[in-house]
Amino acid sequence: MKRIDFTNTQVASSQTARNINRGVVLNLIRRRQPISRADLARVSGLQRSTVSLITAQLIRERWVIPGPVGRLPRGRRPMFLRLNDRKAILVVDLRPNESRVGVADINGNFLCQETMTTSSDPRVAAEDLAARICHLREVHSELVFEGVGISLPGRVDEKTQHLIFAPNLGWADFDFKGAIKKATGMRVELENAANACALAEVWFGHGEKVRDFVVVTVSEGIGTGVFLNGQLARGLKGMAGEFGHVSLDPDGPACTCGGRGCWEVYGSNRAALRYYHEASQTQEALSFRDLMGLANSGNEAALLALEKMFLAIGRGMRMIVTALAPEEIVVVGELTRQWPQFGSLVEKEVALGFLAGRPSRVRPAEGEMARLRGTVALVLQKHFGPSEEVQKEVEEISLGSRAVG
Ligand SMILES: [Zn+2]
């Protein structure tokens, strides 16, 4: 979905304008809270009367609450506004084997989170998840839930909202969104995990000023979310950004997508475990976390496995920097814990892949909550951002008479 850069949006007229202006004001409150109506008018360029109308509506809808009353010289006491943190979102990071479910407020703070096993059958997985969601909603009955945000390792057809490509989950075309919606009666948003992380960067991170960046999520596979010219690149059927499944060697190991030698076969958590088993000549069942623990205790085979993995990630990123020349690449996943030790391997490869000028910055995402935080952004985008019809109208206006202003 295209996003409007609220900080630069011109003030418009008519219904379209009212929706855009509402988004502008809500987003300004989110970013600058607590903020007074006078400051909202000054920063947005909107008339003070317009700001008063919009904020009154937002308070009625309980998106915004009046905060502390300020003190100014000459006895004026402006009322500061902030987001209502009793509005909340149910967040889900769906992964093969184990998923994470939690509750976050609309500021992106997590109130609770827990893990649950992911069934290999999508129908059973949807039932389990819906039951967990209903339980969390009951436990947090003091909150007003605005919807469910789900990030998953796969691609969702924007039109049908069906899951159309999820090789690491092993799920064929399935209406996961419909199943959760039916079982919970809540609004559900589904998004590819890497795309969700890109949205999180824009909403909660430092991505506001960066217009070209790529998020690389490394887990069981490798996903990429491509944010170019200030927008998420979707491509045909939402399939843009599958760098993880570009074959680097047609004779390489088999990939879950049916191909061979894909980037993720060399750079994912699973790849690191394979390297470890090869080097240690063992077949013990290990998780990626176990492997990192072994590396931290000085285990040679584990150190070698991580080194190979990081090098492969860097080599694959050369495709991204050469093709898209992003300003920044953000890496998400458990592996970021090892960044101080191995990150330079990735940075070196990326620098080699850049053809001219300053190479893209590579940085690990802050904390390990990026995937869950992305789902908060996903649901908020639907409320804070203008709807697609509105965006279409805006594009028509700006292409046509430029009657905006
Ligand atoms: Zn593949």
Side-chain angles (χ1 to χ4, degrees), residues 244-246 255-260 262 264-265:
H245 291 290
V246 174
C255 179
T256 51
C257 74
R260 283 195 167 273
C262 297
E264 72 170 43
V265 167

